[in-house]
Amino acid sequence: MLFLVRMDVNIPSHVPPAEADAIKLAEKNYSQELQRSGKWPHIWRVVGEYANYSIFDVESNDELHGLLSGLPLFPYMKIHVTPLAQHPSAI
């Protein structure tokens, strides 16, 4: 199942910079592991925002929820998920 996911990140200003840096490093490592596994085949930055659009290729809604909630930045994210289906005009 393919999903388009928009993630907007908002780390509160009260989070100490060293803690924020550690969370971002853990996020990078986790996301790259998912990319290598094929579960997260595409990620694009939204220009001028701390946000991204990503494509996830997973077996179920529950698997996607588990992967997203495992993101170290998850507590600081607003996430919008759109399920995708094959378009009849696609070649």
Side-chain angles (χ1 to χ4, degrees), residues 5 7 27 30 34 40 56 61-77 79 81:
V5 179
M7 294 176 245
E27 179 85 7
Y30 180 73
L34 291 174
W40 192 340
F56 283 82
N61 295 333
D62 290 332
E63 182 182 11
L64 179 63
H65 180 77
L67 295 178
L68 294 176
S69 62
L71 291 165
L73 283 170
F74 181 78
Y76 310 111
M77 288 183 173
I79 298 175
V81 176

Side-chain angles (χ1 to χ4, degrees), residues 8-12 14-15 19 23 72-78:
D8 293 271
V9 181
N10 183 17
I11 300 173
H14 64 79
V15 175
E19 183 180 339
I23 294 168
L73 283 170
F74 181 78
Y76 310 111
M77 288 183 173
K78 176 182 171 191

Side-chain angles (χ1 to χ4, degrees), residues 3-62:
F3 295 90
L4 173 67
V5 179
R6 178 175 169 125
M7 294 176 245
D8 293 271
V9 181
N10 183 17
I11 300 173
S13 59
H14 64 79
V15 175
E19 183 180 339
D21 289 344
I23 294 168
K24 291 176 198 176
L25 179 59
E27 179 85 7
K28 181 177 182 176
N29 292 333
Y30 180 73
S31 70
Q32 288 181 346
E33 176 185 321
L34 291 174
Q35 290 172 66
R36 284 189 212 57
S37 76
K39 300 287 183 184
W40 192 340
H42 301 283
I43 182 170
W44 297 276
R45 174 174 291 183
V46 178
V47 175
E49 299 179 36
Y50 194 175
N52 72 75
Y53 279 103
S54 294
I55 300 291
F56 283 82
D57 187 358
V58 295
E59 295 297 319
S60 67
N61 295 333
D62 290 332

